[in-house]
Amino acid sequence: MGDLIDDLLAGKHRALARAITKIENRSPGYRDLVGELYQHTGDAEVIGITGSPGAGKSTLVDKLAKTYRDEGLTVGVIAIDPSSPFTGGSVLGDRIRMASVSGDMDVFFRSMSARGSLGGLSTATADAVKALDAFGKDKVIVETVGAGQNEIDIVKTADTVAVLVPPGSGDDVQMLKAGILEIGDVFVVNKADLPGADRTVMELREMIDTRNDYTQTADHHGADAASEAAASEAMARETDDEGWTPQVVETVAEDGTGVDDLIELLADHATYLAESGKGEERARQRYAEEIRTLLREDVNQLVAGELAARGGIESYVQRVLDRETDPYAVADELVAPIEECVEADRDG
Amino acid sequence: MSADADQRTIRCLVAKVGLDGHDRGAHVIARAFRDAGFEVIYSGLHRSPDEVVQAAVQEDVDVLGISILSGAHNTLVPKILAGLDEYDALDDTLVVVGGIIPEDDRPKLKEAGVGGIFGPGASMEEAVEFVRENAPQRD
């Protein structure tokens, strides 16, 4: 274990790969591992890339990585693909697109499957990012299909989020429905050489303008909401963006057109985060969310253990069915001993 | 499939190496592995041995399946094995070769570290079973 960390910090690729596997599998000791790595993190800039399947994410990531490499920076990439809900198996194909940086060991590319059963994918992703950060990568790119809460949670672990929108991706309503406007710091209309690109750019700009109107009205409540510990991140993000208007950029990832503009925008946003203090604010929210998620998972596990020790959930279900008890009473009964311990510990 | 639920997920890299552009077999085996509940990373066509090594090391796969139909296995496979060794990954990676490998070449490849060779006519079940049984046990 200590060896693994030493090797990772010494720049051994094998150790980094193995550490990420441990994180992904939640192998025994992974928590200590991540804990040890934490003190070595904080230097990497984390970029999230999301968008619908076929939007060109992997190709764009490849070009971004290449450009950063040309500047002499090292890059880590985590690409997340769905897994089959039936067999748990998956084919992770994002690597195929990494043509320009293939063979370059200073681009550490890792495919991750969204293993349904393990849950906590956003935690695993955040931890894997930490491993890349501790390894010394300058830029870490997290790539995921933008389809649902899970993905939004993942991409929120990034400092800057770029949302890819292919031209002609439907009317405004579709875009609002996807909820992508709230998470994007930068919008990329990729495949900009296709017809309809101009229109998509225009629609996006319009929607960003209206979004800003919402933000300003919402802002009156923003001050109170921010002080509430439980203020939702989405809300916080909205108030965040005061001072940063999401930008739209056109790219053709296939031939690299517009990639430099995108890199510049990403850098602008990083500067904005640093200078306005929003970066720290976001980091605070992120850590708060991370702690909450871990607490939930740990307490869940505690309860699951207690449940198993008492012979599993089935006997309780039967008693509820027989109307001998009710779900609330069961929950109280199971949580009571834990509650007592906590109280005793606090008083002691 | 329910029996697999408690097993850890086996990660495989299915790699096409060299100038050989026939990937039907690689696709079929990738699907079979996926349906067996494995996580499969597909390399795409025309990879160099270095690229295959890079992918195998970074993805930390348990199994590396090399599909090769060009007849260049005696050159390409040892290069990949040497590359894995360079990153201390040879010992706990199961390397499997699929494709047209003449009987005479097989002992030498196996001696060099190839765990299994599957030629034409080998069944999917056979390959999946072999991987299940021989995938390296890690902590």
Side-chain angles (χ1 to χ4, degrees):
Chain A
M1 173 68 175
D3 288 350
L4 186 64
I5 291 167
D6 291 343
D7 284 352
L8 188 153
L9 295 174
K12 289 205 173 143
H13 293 93
R14 181 79 176 147
L16 173 58
R18 189 53 56 88
I20 296 179
T21 304
K22 276 182 175 292
I23 286 167
E24 231 191 330
N25 289 345
R26 310 202 155 187
S27 311
Y30 96 93
R31 296 173 77 116
D32 295 337
L33 174 76
V34 178
E36 286 285 324
L37 291 177
Y38 244 91
Q39 51 181 307
H40 303 281
T41 61
D43 299 324
E45 186 195 337
V46 186
I47 300 160
I49 307 260
T50 187
S52 51
K57 294 180 293 297
S58 304
T59 313
L60 189 66
V61 168
D62 177 48
K63 291 298 191 299
L64 284 177
K66 172 88 176 105
T67 313
Y68 284 135
R69 287 296 296 136
D70 289 346
E71 291 173 18
L73 300 169
T74 56
V75 182
V77 181
I78 295 173
I80 297 152
D81 261 348
S83 64
S84 158
F86 301 106
T87 64
S90 52
V91 174
L92 310 170
D94 291 322
R95 231 193 149 89
I96 303 175
R97 310 274 173 251
M98 299 301 290
S100 0
V101 292
S102 192
D104 176 0
M105 270 312 236
D106 282 327
V107 176
F108 191 100
F109 186 99
R110 182 63 177 246
S111 316
M112 267 170 82
S113 133
R115 296 178 195 171
S117 55
L118 279 177
L121 183 59
S122 56
T123 311
T125 311
D127 290 345
V129 168
K130 292 288 179 309
L132 288 166
D133 190 346
F135 187 79
K137 294 297 181 193
D138 300 308
K139 307 278 177 182
V140 177
I141 304 174
V142 178
E143 176 202 331
T144 176
V145 168
Q149 190 59 46
N150 235 347
E151 280 68 22
I152 289 176
D153 285 346
I154 292 164
V155 95
K156 275 197 312 212
T157 61
D159 299 316
T160 299
V161 176
V163 175
L164 260 70
V165 187
S169 37
D171 53 28
D172 314 5
V173 183
Q174 285 293 350
M175 291 199 197
L176 284 175
K177 187 163 70 182
I180 57 165
L181 272 179
E182 290 83 347
I183 59 166
D185 300 307
V186 175
F187 291 89
V188 184
V189 177
N190 191 33
K191 306 189 185 183
D193 51 342
L194 291 183
D198 293 349
R199 194 173 151 190
T200 305
V201 170
M202 204 179 67
E203 282 175 355
L204 271 172
R205 291 216 166 103
E206 250 168 47
M207 276 196 300
I208 289 165
D209 285 345
T210 18
R211 164 190 163 174
N212 282 351
D213 292 344
Y214 291 144
T215 314
Q216 267 143 29
T217 23
D219 213 31
H220 298 300
H221 315 285
D224 308 334
S227 61
E228 279 177 38
S232 79
E233 176 116 0
M235 187 70 179
R237 276 247 158 167
E238 269 183 47
T239 46
D240 248 11
D241 285 316
E242 194 188 9
W244 173 264
T245 309
Q247 303 287 309
V248 183
V249 61
E250 291 177 70
T251 60
V252 184
E254 199 68 43
D255 64 11
T257 308
V259 171
D260 288 340
D261 297 341
L262 174 58
I263 295 249
E264 208 172 295
L265 268 181
L266 294 173
D268 285 352
H269 189 256
T271 314
Y272 158 76
L273 286 178
E275 284 175 358
S276 65
K278 295 292 177 197
E280 199 195 311
E281 201 175 298
R282 278 195 187 186
R284 275 172 189 281
Q285 284 162 1
R286 234 173 11 233
Y287 289 135
E289 197 49 49
E290 252 176 65
I291 294 171
R292 280 196 204 101
T293 308
L294 277 179
L295 283 175
R296 264 197 304 273
E297 285 174 15
D298 287 358
V299 172
N300 269 344
Q301 225 161 8
L302 214 58
V303 173
E306 180 64 19
L307 194 58
R310 292 173 182 232
I313 201 163
E314 271 311 312
S315 59
Y316 290 105
V317 171
Q318 191 56 48
R319 282 172 57 205
V320 172
L321 264 178
D322 297 343
R323 294 293 181 270
E324 284 171 20
T325 183
D326 62 282
Y328 290 97
V330 171
D332 285 345
E333 186 187 328
L334 285 166
V335 172
I338 297 171
E339 213 172 290
E340 272 166 33
C341 287
V342 173
E343 271 167 19
D345 191 53
R346 195 166 38 208
D347 297 341
Chain B
M1 283 303 133
S2 58
D4 300 332
D6 351 314
Q7 294 177 9
R8 84 214 148 83
T9 309
I10 297 177
R11 276 171 79 87
C12 311
L13 172 65
V14 173
K16 287 295 306 182
V17 63
L19 295 175
D20 152 28
H22 300 273
D23 57 356
R24 177 66 62 89
H27 286 180
V28 171
I29 198 71
R31 277 194 66 160
F33 281 175
R34 180 199 68 185
D35 291 344
F38 303 170
E39 274 176 18
V40 185
I41 294 124
Y42 179 51
S43 72
L45 280 172
H46 307 308
R47 296 297 148 174
S48 71
D50 283 351
E51 290 172 342
V52 173
V53 170
Q54 181 195 20
V57 170
Q58 294 185 344
E59 301 288 357
D60 194 22
V61 290
D62 307 289
V63 183
L64 166 59
I66 307 167
S67 161
I68 188 158
L69 298 155
S70 63
H73 47 269
N74 286 333
T75 321
L76 296 173
V77 174
K79 275 189 187 165
I80 292 173
L81 296 173
L84 289 177
D85 197 30
E86 197 183 312
Y87 288 101
D88 303 323
L90 186 59
D91 289 343
D92 55 1
T93 306
L94 171 65
V95 180
V96 183
V97 176
I100 318 274
I101 313 292
E103 228 21 90
D104 293 352
D105 293 344
R106 295 187 180 201
K108 225 168 74 191
L109 288 177
K110 288 205 166 159
E111 221 170 276
V114 173
I117 298 173
F118 295 88
S123 75
M124 289 300 129
E125 290 76 17
E126 218 179 295
V128 167
E129 209 38 54
F130 183 84
V131 166
R132 279 227 176 92
E133 273 168 21
N134 294 286
Q137 288 299 322
R138 296 169 174 174
D139 49 1

